[in-house]
């Protein structure tokens, strides 16, 4: 992937991945889990911009296929194009600022929503996460409320 063509986003817009029911021997030989482990480390330590993509790909550790492998390689192509990005903290008097969002029922497998939050201090992120919600939200308001609850718990911590 060192000679790959960079892309502007870690996820192709409109991509819908589904669980693979049967895997061929060739697909089982793909180092998908190893790549995902490395990407997870990056997303939790220094790259909040890939958190959603990695969280989404992590759902398919036991049921991945060629399309999942292609999506994971797209994250690598995104990282190739953004290798100069980093976390920057500047002298700033702004208080701790947090942002929370949710998407309602976007997982086609179980209709659960995704939650994401980020907290900024001195112009840089200090805490972030993106994960699937634990329960099924019955409305967009309920999905946003559950996301806000996760964000508030992190803010209190």
């Amino acid at each position: 992937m060192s000679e790959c063509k960079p892309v502007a986003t870690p996820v192709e817009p409109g991509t819908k991945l589904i669980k693979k029911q049967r895997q061929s021997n060739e697909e089982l030989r793909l180092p998908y889990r190893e790549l995902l482990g490395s990407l997870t480390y990056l997303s939790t330590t220094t790259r909040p911009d890939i958190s959603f993509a990695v969280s989404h790909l992590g759902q398919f550790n036991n049921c991945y296929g060629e399309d999942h492998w292609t999506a994971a390689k797209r994250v690598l192509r995104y990282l190739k194009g953004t290798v100069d990005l980093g976390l920057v903290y500047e002298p700033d008097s702004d208080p701790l600022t947090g942002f929370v969002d949710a998407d309602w029922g976007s997982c086609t497998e179980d209709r659960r929503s995704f939650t994401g939050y980020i907290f900024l201090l001195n112009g840089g992120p200090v805490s972030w996460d993106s994960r699937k919600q634990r329960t099924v939200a019955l409305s967009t308001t309920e999905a946003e409320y559950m996301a806000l609850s996760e964000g508030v718990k992190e803010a209190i911590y």
Side-chain angles (χ1 to χ4, degrees):
M1 296 299 296
S2 62
E3 301 299 322
C4 67
K5 181 180 175 186
V7 293
T9 60
V11 178
E12 178 75 31
T15 300
K16 294 288 184 189
L17 297 173
I18 58 171
K19 291 183 178 182
K20 184 92 172 175
Q21 298 300 326
R22 292 198 177 175
Q23 296 171 297
S24 67
N25 288 336
E26 187 175 312
E27 289 173 330
L28 288 172
R29 281 187 240 129
L30 294 173
Y32 181 78
R33 293 180 185 132
E34 292 83 353
L35 174 58
L36 211 54
S38 298
L39 291 174
T40 300
Y41 175 76
L42 280 177
S43 75
T44 57
T45 56
T46 61
R47 296 298 302 252
D49 52 340
I50 65 170
S51 289
F52 171 76
V54 173
S55 174
H56 185 65
L57 290 170
Q59 298 176 64
F60 305 102
N61 271 334
N62 295 323
C63 51
Y64 57 89
E66 194 67 38
D67 50 342
H68 302 93
W69 178 245
T70 302
K73 289 195 307 185
R74 182 179 174 89
V75 176
L76 290 178
R77 291 174 57 203
Y78 171 75
L79 291 172
K80 171 77 172 178
T82 59
V83 72
D84 295 331
L85 290 181
L87 301 180
V88 178
Y89 301 97
E90 300 172 349
D92 196 336
S93 63
D94 288 341
L96 180 68
T97 307
F99 299 93
V100 179
D101 196 18
D103 66 341
W104 178 44
S106 67
C107 180
T108 56
E109 297 289 323
D110 57 11
R111 303 308 301 165
R112 288 193 288 168
S113 308
F114 273 89
T115 291
Y117 63 79
I118 188 165
F119 290 92
L120 306 172
L121 186 64
N122 294 339
V126 292
S127 178
W128 61 87
D129 195 13
S130 175
R131 69 176 59 177
K132 194 185 284 190
Q133 292 180 351
R134 293 185 176 107
T135 59
V136 177
L138 300 178
S139 68
T140 185
T141 304
E142 187 177 355
E144 294 287 347
Y145 183 78
M146 286 191 278
L148 186 59
S149 174
E150 291 297 319
V152 168
K153 286 191 281 187
E154 183 66 16
I156 291 170
Y157 172 73

